[in-house]
Amino acid sequence: MILKTFVVPAESDGSRAGNFLRLVMPNLPESTIRKAFAARDVKLDGARVGRDTPVRAGQSLCVYLPDRTDNEDLLRVVYEDED
């Protein structure tokens, strides 16, 4: 598992935890964010939170992510030639 920690900036004050994670990690698939919340792997100032929990400026949001995301194996090369 990889731990990512973010400090909530003033412009994100009052937003929901799920929306904040999408904002700070735009390349992370939505399914991975959903799985993190379902597994209770998201913490706000050390307490586990849900997607709809509001975040405040200065709080620390931590999320545990798998070492690999689910979509890494989607585009595997199985055959290649000169063309």
Side-chain angles (χ1 to χ4, degrees):
M1 299 287 280
I2 298 170
L3 173 64
K4 297 281 188 176
T5 303
F6 305 96
V7 175
V8 179
E11 57 268 10
S12 294
D13 187 62
S15 66
R16 306 281 180 211
N19 294 339
F20 178 71
L21 279 180
R22 273 200 309 259
L23 177 70
V24 295
M25 294 187 296
N27 296 329
L28 191 66
E30 178 66 23
S31 61
T32 304
I33 293 174
R34 272 189 264 124
K35 287 177 185 176
F37 279 106
R40 313 245 323 129
D41 286 339
V42 182
K43 294 182 179 184
L44 185 63
D45 287 340
R48 288 185 167 90
V49 295
R51 291 182 73 91
D52 295 331
T53 303
V55 296
R56 299 289 173 216
Q59 288 184 309
S60 175
L61 186 82
C62 300
V63 60
Y64 293 90
L65 300 170
D67 291 333
R68 317 176 341 181
T69 57
D70 294 334
N71 65 346
E72 285 182 358
D73 293 329
L74 291 179
L75 297 175
R76 231 174 355 164
V77 176
V78 294
Y79 176 77
E80 189 174 317
D81 62 11
E82 288 105 25
D83 294 331

